[in-house]
Amino acid sequence: MGKQIPQSKGVRNIRKAIRTGFWLLGAAVLVVLAAALYWQVQLPDEISVTRDGEMRLPGNITAVYQEEGGMERAGNDTVTSAELVLPLGVSVKTVGIRLVDRETVLVSGKPFGIKMFTDGLIVVGLSDFSADGKRTNPAKSAGLTTGDILISLDGIALTSNEQMGALVQSSAGRELCLVYERAGRQHQVPVTPQKSASDGRYHLGVWVRDSSAGIGTITYYDETARTFSGLGHPICDIDTGEIMTLSTGEGVEAVITGYSAGKSGSPGELKGQFITGHTFARLNANGECGVCGTLQPGFRAEGVRLPVALSNEVQPGPAKMLTTIDGSSPKEYDVVIEKVLRGNSRPGQNMVIRITDQELLSQTGGIIQGMSGSPLIQNGMLVGAVTHV
């Protein structure tokens, strides 16, 4: 029977180091594979890149392009593909690459006044009243609720509170045909005005709104298209929270006259006034990302000309915000982009920012109402706009 020879301390250390090395290598492989899986999910199937060939991606990912001869044309854009590779040489995925021209715009940060009339009338409340010795509400009995949009009454398109009141009064209590919209679908119901015991006039028991006005911030002007965009979020009814459907509207030059600072439980707000006779644009749309409009002939847009960043170029880190808290001249303030929400399902909410500028924090407490639309600048490019506090 053989005798076991004891291992020297040096041999044991070598074997221990080898085992440790295998463990570390296995852990490194798992980390790389986890990173590859993570970026497979995070990165889109198609990325837009400027024609100078520069691509900025998070996570130190590099891209290996195909030769230009393999490109295909799709409209005015050029389409190819690229293999995305992690620093250790592990392939993440192959994505479509769309080569596009870099856009530039005039970045603003100036305040503007909003005058907006709705397409139809928004129901903001229902109120019972006394008629024939009992409490009644014809609108509620017809099935109306807060947030409905009243389209027409007896075939006449509704355009203002006063017009609807006159139509109800002239009915003298006969049944009317009311058309309203709810959740994008139109409905038709009969409704009969009742004479109020308190004032002797006919009513439906419904409160409606036909317009809105407020202060926002211009994000940018597009001189070529003669348009502007601002606000960063849709104009919603203050009572119902529903997006107001735009019929007509104006963008008016404005000045900031003061502000109330934001604090816990109160967002604060900019206070301003419209400059009479200085309408600069006709509003065209009120959507998830704000309002936009066509500039009036002769209006001269002013701002800083900057390139527009592609979505994959926006990264967490330092940035600047242009906004106005006094008069009409915007100033630059320090912010940090803390998160970039790629593939976010909610339109208009793609990043989280934090105000770091001590001057702005000491004056307003940070972002307050009226700053919506303030442009965000990173690496010399327009990367977004302020939306919600």
Side-chain angles (χ1 to χ4, degrees):
M1 189 172 181
K3 184 178 180 182
Q4 185 175 7
I5 301 174
Q7 295 178 354
S8 68
K9 184 177 180 180
V11 172
R12 289 198 301 270
N13 286 341
I14 291 173
R15 291 192 172 185
K16 183 178 179 181
I18 291 173
R19 287 197 300 270
T20 303
F22 276 122
W23 278 107
L24 290 175
L25 180 60
V29 170
L30 288 175
V31 168
V32 172
L33 290 176
L37 289 172
Y38 172 78
W39 288 117
Q40 273 190 337
V41 174
Q42 291 295 313
L43 291 171
D45 293 327
E46 182 176 276
I47 297 175
S48 295
V49 183
T50 57
R51 294 184 188 278
D52 58 16
E54 182 181 10
M55 178 185 286
R56 301 181 184 182
L57 293 171
N60 294 321
I61 294 177
T62 58
V64 181
Y65 284 90
Q66 287 183 342
E67 293 296 323
E68 186 161 340
M71 295 181 179
E72 300 175 357
R73 292 284 175 178
N76 293 325
D77 296 339
T78 303
V79 178
T80 183
S81 64
E83 183 183 7
L84 305 183
V85 181
L86 286 170
L88 294 181
V90 177
S91 177
V92 177
K93 67 187 299 185
T94 298
V95 300
I97 302 295
R98 185 174 296 276
L99 299 181
V100 298
D101 294 320
R102 174 76 72 184
E103 292 186 72
T104 64
V105 294
L106 285 178
V107 178
S108 179
K110 291 174 66 72
F112 76 109
I114 304 161
K115 294 181 179 178
M116 177 177 160
F117 288 88
T118 61
D119 187 10
L121 309 179
I122 299 177
V123 176
V124 298
L126 298 166
S127 179
D128 297 348
F129 58 94
S130 296
D132 296 329
K134 61 180 179 180
R135 301 292 291 176
T136 186
N137 190 308
K140 187 186 297 183
S141 299
L144 293 181
T145 188
T146 301
D148 289 343
I149 301 173
L150 308 186
I151 304 299
S152 66
L153 195 61
D154 252 16
I156 301 174
L158 296 172
T159 57
S160 70
N161 304 350
E162 294 78 11
Q163 176 222 25
M164 180 175 173
L167 290 173
V168 171
Q169 190 60 30
S170 64
S171 72
R174 66 178 176 85
E175 183 180 276
L176 304 174
C177 177
L178 175 66
V179 176
Y180 70 94
E181 182 179 304
R182 179 184 297 169
R185 296 183 61 185
Q186 286 196 0
H187 306 269
Q188 181 175 302
V189 293
V191 61
T192 304
Q194 300 293 320
K195 182 181 284 188
S196 171
S198 61
D199 63 7
R201 296 175 61 83
Y202 289 94
H203 296 278
L204 291 179
V206 61
W207 295 94
V208 296
R209 180 175 289 122
D210 61 7
S211 62
S212 180
I215 293 286
T217 301
I218 297 171
T219 307
Y220 66 86
Y221 301 102
D222 185 331
E223 288 180 297
T224 303
R226 294 293 296 168
T227 60
F228 91 100
S229 293
L231 204 58
H233 59 76
I235 300 174
C236 297
D237 184 81
I238 192 171
D239 293 302
T240 68
E242 298 290 328
I243 296 178
M244 299 182 70
T245 55
L246 174 66
S247 175
T248 60
E250 297 175 341
V252 183
E253 293 184 63
V255 293
I256 301 301
T257 57
Y259 54 82
S260 57
K263 55 185 179 181
S264 180
S266 174
E269 66 175 335
L270 292 174
K271 299 176 181 179
Q273 61 185 31
F274 297 178
I275 302 177
T276 305
H278 284 245
T279 298
F280 70 89
R282 175 175 56 84
L283 299 186
N284 296 333
N286 174 39
E288 290 287 353
C289 294
V291 298
C292 61
T294 303
L295 299 178
Q296 297 278 49
F299 175 75
R300 183 183 176 188
E302 296 180 352
V304 182
R305 181 164 294 284
L306 292 177
V308 179
L310 303 175
S311 61
N312 52 275
E313 294 176 321
V314 185
Q315 306 294 338
K320 299 286 186 180
M321 177 179 73
L322 272 175
T323 198
T324 307
I325 63 172
D326 182 41
S328 59
S329 299
K331 288 182 61 177
E332 210 172 63
Y333 298 98
D334 293 324
V335 303
V336 170
I337 299 176
E338 296 203 318
K339 291 182 181 179
V340 179
L341 309 175
R342 304 188 192 280
N344 189 27
S345 59
R346 298 188 66 181
Q349 296 183 31
N350 312 108
M351 68 181 80
V352 177
I353 69 169
R354 176 169 54 90
I355 303 297
T356 57
D357 195 287
Q358 292 303 310
E359 178 187 355
L360 186 62
L361 289 170
S362 64
Q363 291 180 304
T364 67
I367 295 171
I368 57 177
Q369 293 182 78
M371 290 183 181
S372 295
S374 298
L376 300 170
I377 300 166
Q378 186 182 60
N379 297 321
M381 297 185 291
L382 175 64
V383 297
V386 170
T387 59
H388 300 77
V389 179

